[in-house]
Each structure stands twice: as C-alpha cells, then as structure tokens.
Amino acid sequence: MCGGFTCSKNALVALNVVYILVSFILIGVAATARAVAIVTDITVIGGVIACGVFLLLVAIIGLVGAVKHHQVLLFFYMIILFLLFLIQFAIACACLAVNTVQQENIATQGWMKSSVSMKTEVQKTFDCCGFKEQNLIDEPMGHPKCGNVADCCKSSDAKCCSGKNETTTDLNCPCSQCWNKLEKHMDSALKITGGIGLFFSFTEIIGVWLALRYRNQKDPKANPSAFL
C-alpha cells in the first residue's frame, strides 16, 4: 500500500529528483533575470540563486538518505529543508513586493555606479540613450554618446547622439530613455523570479513531512526487532 515503507521511499526519491530539476530552474531563471537588468544589482534575485544552489545540495543529501534510509542524513535533511523553505519564501515575497519607485531607485544607483562601457552596452542592447536625462553627457547620471551604438541615433546629430555641447546642437533626442525599457525588464524579472520561488517553496514543506514520515517507518528487510 502507498503508506508503506517502499512507497514512502520511492516518493521521497522522486521528490528529490524534482528538487534537483527545480534548483536548476531557480538558478537559470534568476541568473537570466539578473543578466537582463544589466546595470542593477538586485540583491533579492541573488538570494534566489543562492536558494537554488542550496536546494541542489539538500536534494542530493535527501536522495542518499532516502536510498539508504539513513537516520542522521534524513534528520539534517528535514532541518535544512525547512530552513530553506523559510528563507526562500521570504526572498520570493521580497521580489514580489518591490514596487516601481524602489525599482527606479535601484536602477538609478546602478546607473550612477556603472562604467562608461557598461552604459554603452545598455544603450546598444536596448537601443536607447541616457537613463532619464538624455542631454547629460559627462555627469554621474549622464551617458556616453549614443551615435555609434544605438540604431535610433544613426541618422541624428542631436546632443545625446553626438555628445557635442554647441548651443546650436539639437536637444531633442530621437531615442527612448533607457529607464523606460529597463523598467519593463526589471519588473518582469522580479515578478517571474518571485513567483517561481514562491510556488516551489511550498513543495519543500511536503519534503519535510515525507522525510519525517519515512524516517519513522520500519525497513521490512532490516532486523524485525530493530525499530527505526
């Protein structure tokens, strides 16, 4: 019957195989989200990556413990998995709770600290020019000229494209602000990462319950007088 020793063992093994797959999903999605943001260093997304790595290690411990019915490994597996659930749940909620104003503040700080080459890469990737103030060139919130990297500047002599400071230079930049494009990517990255992290965090409670149940069951192949 499914409540027996063999069924519990197989279920725990299968669940930990799923955890290994989930860990790669968490790492992949969070790493992609972090790469999309480019100039922003979103700490909570890094936390999801860390949770994915720890989940991979815990799943391996769970697999070994389930196959060998190892009491010590199963005990530590339950404790670590429960702690991981709490951390992952909190980080996922934090990802989902970041609002537009907070995202803009994070992106602004990231832009200010970014090198000229990084800003150039952002402008090339998103076909934009400047963070928000497009006519600031040599300032912390400024940007390198966009004429050589952004397609929207190829046929324009505007200040944002040429970097010239002459009074006759056109101040109407033909390109979109980089923040307008970064905002969409940041928001989707945080929502997707947080949603996936939150969904899979609840499956870890099932792992804790199943490991506790399996740990207290007797192995029918073992000594009948030895209660595990």
Side-chain angles (χ1 to χ4, degrees):
M1 55 187 292
C2 197
F5 178 86
T6 302
C7 183
S8 296
K9 176 181 179 178
N10 293 338
L12 191 57
V13 169
L15 187 61
N16 280 285
V17 171
V18 172
Y19 284 161
I20 291 175
L21 298 177
V22 169
S23 68
F24 285 117
I25 292 173
L26 288 175
I27 294 170
V29 170
T32 303
R34 196 167 187 177
V36 164
I38 301 181
V39 298
T40 57
D41 185 15
I42 306 176
T43 306
V44 287
I45 291 182
V48 174
I49 296 176
C51 285
V53 173
F54 279 112
L55 181 59
L56 177 61
L57 298 176
V58 171
I60 294 173
I61 294 173
L63 272 175
V64 176
V67 171
K68 295 187 175 182
H69 198 229
H70 197 287
Q71 295 292 297
V72 176
L73 285 180
L74 289 172
F75 173 77
F76 283 107
Y77 170 78
M78 291 188 299
I79 299 299
I80 297 172
L81 191 61
F82 180 72
L83 293 175
L84 185 61
F85 158 74
L86 296 177
I87 296 171
Q88 186 175 321
F89 179 82
I91 292 175
C93 290
C95 283
L96 296 173
V98 178
N99 57 39
T100 304
V101 175
Q102 292 169 328
Q103 291 175 24
E104 184 175 353
N105 290 336
I106 294 170
T108 300
Q109 293 299 317
W111 186 270
M112 289 178 66
K113 296 176 181 177
S114 295
S115 62
V116 173
S117 60
M118 178 61 72
K119 293 178 181 179
T120 301
E121 182 65 26
V122 173
Q123 293 176 156
K124 181 179 180 180
T125 301
F126 294 102
D127 192 25
C128 59
C129 192
F131 185 74
K132 293 187 76 173
E133 298 292 335
Q134 295 177 309
N135 291 316
L136 295 178
I137 304 298
D138 299 321
E139 297 185 31
M141 284 305 295
H143 62 90
K145 63 179 182 179
C146 308
N148 298 328
V149 292
D151 291 337
C152 55
C153 263
K154 291 297 173 64
S155 58
S156 175
D157 194 38
K159 181 179 179 180
C160 67
C161 300
S162 65
K164 298 177 181 178
N165 290 313
E166 287 85 350
T167 55
T168 57
T169 303
D170 187 4
L171 298 180
N172 295 317
C173 187
C175 300
S176 302
Q177 298 173 351
C178 289
W179 165 239
N180 291 338
K181 297 193 174 183
L182 282 171
E183 180 183 11
K184 298 175 184 178
H185 287 83
M186 280 186 65
D187 187 64
S188 61
L190 285 165
K191 295 297 185 291
I192 292 172
T193 304
I196 291 176
L198 186 63
F199 174 78
F200 285 118
S201 67
F202 289 107
T203 65
E204 291 159 12
I205 292 295
I206 299 175
V208 173
W209 171 79
L210 193 57
L212 179 63
R213 175 190 177 92
Y214 175 61
R215 186 172 181 267
N216 291 323
Q217 288 179 322
K218 292 176 64 175
D219 186 350
K221 296 181 181 179
N223 185 352
S225 63
F227 179 76
L228 299 177

